[in-house]
């Protein structure tokens, strides 16, 4: 009977662990989809800037260093954001698929791999956003008057400062350390879990008997007083 109870508890523990990992995988999937959507939006803006005929004609008459800065920042932005879109899509597609159709323990392996890939994707997104901001400053100096370009540069720099400080502040508030996620959950053996459940049930039974005994005493006292 004890062996059967242990097998049943083992199955229950595995089901609970898979359920927890499933919740974490859904969170990672939403995380990756959100970053991929924002990266695709920035990619669209960058393509519009890179293929603008007016900007191409203006840039061709500028100094080669200006051309290098303009095309270098916009192409770097495109490359990083496209990397972010591609990898976030691949991870969000193949991660759950492997967890569903893979061998035993594939859920844990898929969640671990998704967590490893997400930081690279986040860094690519941040780098592409920085390059996009730098290119906006360059374009401002190409098409605007000096006063307007200087004002636009000041606005971009101030906005970038507040974005970076708020990002560090939010990251510091929600930072969980190296053991982020559910990897640090201790694996309990079935026998230990079963013994713990029996201890809890025994203590509850003792408390229930004490309560019932107290109620009987109250009933007897109330009957005697009547």
């Amino acid at each position: 009977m004890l062996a059967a109870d242990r097998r049943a508890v083992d199955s229950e523990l595995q089901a609970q662990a898979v359920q927890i990992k499933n919740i974490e995988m859904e969170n990672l999937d939403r995380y990756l989809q959100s970053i991929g959507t924002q990266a695709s939006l920035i990619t669209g803006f960058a393509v519009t800037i890179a293929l603008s005929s007016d900007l191409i004609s203006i840039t061709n008459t500028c100094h080669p260093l200006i051309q290098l800065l303009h095309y270098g920042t916009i192409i770097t932005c495109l490359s990083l954001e496209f990397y972010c879109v591609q990898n976030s899509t691949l991870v969000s597609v193949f991660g759950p698929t492997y967890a569903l159709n893979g061998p035993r323990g594939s859920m844990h392996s898929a969640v671990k791999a998704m967590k490893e890939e997400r930081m690279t994707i986040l860094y690519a997104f941040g780098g592409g956003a920085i390059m996009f901001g730098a290119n906006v400053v360059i374009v401002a100096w190409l098409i605007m008057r000096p006063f307007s370009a200087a004002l636009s540069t000041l606005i971009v720099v101030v906005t970038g400062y507040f974005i970076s400080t708020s990002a560090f502040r939010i990251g510091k508030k929600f930072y969980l350390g190296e053991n982020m996620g559910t990897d640090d959950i201790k694996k309990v053996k079935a026998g230990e879990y079963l013994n713990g459940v029996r201890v809890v049930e025994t203590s509850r039974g003792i408390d229930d008997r004490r309560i019932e005994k107290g109620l009987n005493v109250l009933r007897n006292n109330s009957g005697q007083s009547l």
Side-chain angles (χ1 to χ4, degrees):
M1 187 64 181
L2 183 59
D5 290 340
R6 287 184 176 179
R7 286 193 296 269
V9 172
D10 272 331
S11 300
E12 181 183 354
L13 287 175
Q14 291 174 6
Q16 291 178 356
V18 170
Q19 184 177 5
I20 293 173
K21 286 294 179 182
N22 185 39
I23 295 173
E24 188 173 6
M25 175 171 287
E26 291 177 354
N27 180 44
L28 289 169
D29 185 60
R30 290 192 299 268
Y31 172 94
L32 293 171
Q33 289 183 5
S34 177
I35 292 181
T37 301
Q38 302 304 319
S40 62
L41 183 64
I42 296 177
T43 301
F45 289 144
V47 170
T48 302
I49 294 174
L51 300 180
S52 175
S53 58
D54 295 335
L55 278 176
I56 291 174
S57 60
I58 293 173
T59 306
N60 289 336
T61 60
C62 293
H63 192 274
L65 180 60
I66 302 299
Q67 295 182 16
L68 177 64
L69 291 175
H70 171 65
Y71 289 114
T73 53
I74 200 65
I75 296 302
T76 303
C77 172
L78 277 171
S79 301
L80 291 175
E81 297 301 338
F82 187 74
Y83 172 89
C84 181
V85 172
Q86 173 187 297
N87 281 26
S88 62
T89 303
L90 291 176
V91 173
S92 62
V93 169
F94 290 112
T97 303
Y98 177 78
L100 183 63
N101 301 317
R104 183 174 181 178
S106 59
M107 175 70 75
H108 294 72
S109 300
V111 170
K112 182 179 179 181
M114 291 174 72
K115 287 195 296 184
E116 291 174 351
E117 293 292 334
R118 67 175 177 177
M119 295 310 300
T120 305
I121 295 171
L122 181 61
Y123 291 149
F125 175 77
I130 292 173
M131 290 295 103
F132 183 78
N135 185 259
V136 168
V137 173
I138 295 171
V139 171
W141 284 97
L142 287 174
I143 65 177
M144 296 181 183
R145 296 178 181 272
F147 178 78
S148 300
L151 180 61
S152 300
T153 302
L154 179 63
I155 294 173
V156 171
V157 170
V158 172
T159 303
Y161 170 77
F162 281 108
I163 290 175
S164 60
T165 54
S166 62
F168 281 113
R169 184 183 70 252
I170 294 172
K172 187 176 181 181
K173 285 182 179 179
F174 297 103
Y175 181 67
L176 297 178
E178 296 296 331
N179 296 324
M180 184 181 297
T182 58
D183 293 336
D184 56 345
I185 295 178
K186 295 179 67 177
K187 295 182 179 180
V188 183
K189 294 182 179 180
E192 297 175 356
Y193 179 80
L194 189 60
N195 291 332
V197 170
R198 287 177 175 173
V199 169
V200 173
E201 291 179 350
T202 302
S203 62
R204 287 178 179 175
I206 294 174
D207 293 337
D208 292 340
R209 288 194 294 271
R210 288 177 179 175
I211 294 173
E212 186 65 27
K213 183 177 180 181
L215 290 175
N216 292 331
V217 172
L218 290 176
R219 293 193 191 100
N220 294 332
N221 292 335
S222 61
Q224 292 177 1
S225 62
L226 293 174

